[in-house]
Amino acid sequence: SLEYGIEYSSRHVVRMENTLQTGNLTPAEYHELQQKIAILKSFSQPKTLTAEDDKKIYTHVALHIGLIVAALILILLPADRNSEEDEEPFDTPVIAKVIDD
């Protein structure tokens, strides 16, 4: 936590491991302390990114930017309202022809 400093989690890991070594804990308390240590260790040990991780991040960024651009194009470009497909079926008059039998 930045509020308590960068070394907050590593200090508490050491403190909790010392508490585990005392041995006067119930099984439930021992298990709970082990879980807390595992969580704090995930924060105190930095994760290194591989080239594959970088590739995944860049791919996701590119896809999100593409989706945003596509959405903006669909929103900002006006639709063509004058095309023949948009005409109502009864806009043009139908001329009736007389059929002789």
Side-chain angles (χ1 to χ4, degrees), residues 33-82:
L33 224 54
Q34 282 182 324
Q35 286 180 334
K36 287 181 180 181
I37 289 172
I39 292 169
L40 283 173
K41 279 185 178 179
S42 70
F43 288 107
S44 65
Q45 298 169 350
K47 183 178 189 229
T48 56
L49 295 177
T50 62
E52 184 66 28
D53 293 334
D54 287 341
K55 183 179 175 183
K56 286 180 183 179
I57 291 170
Y58 293 138
T59 303
H60 283 98
V61 167
L63 288 174
H64 282 85
I65 290 173
L67 287 172
I68 290 170
V69 168
L72 288 174
I73 288 172
L74 289 174
I75 291 171
L76 298 177
L77 290 180
D80 186 17
R81 300 281 181 200
N82 297 331

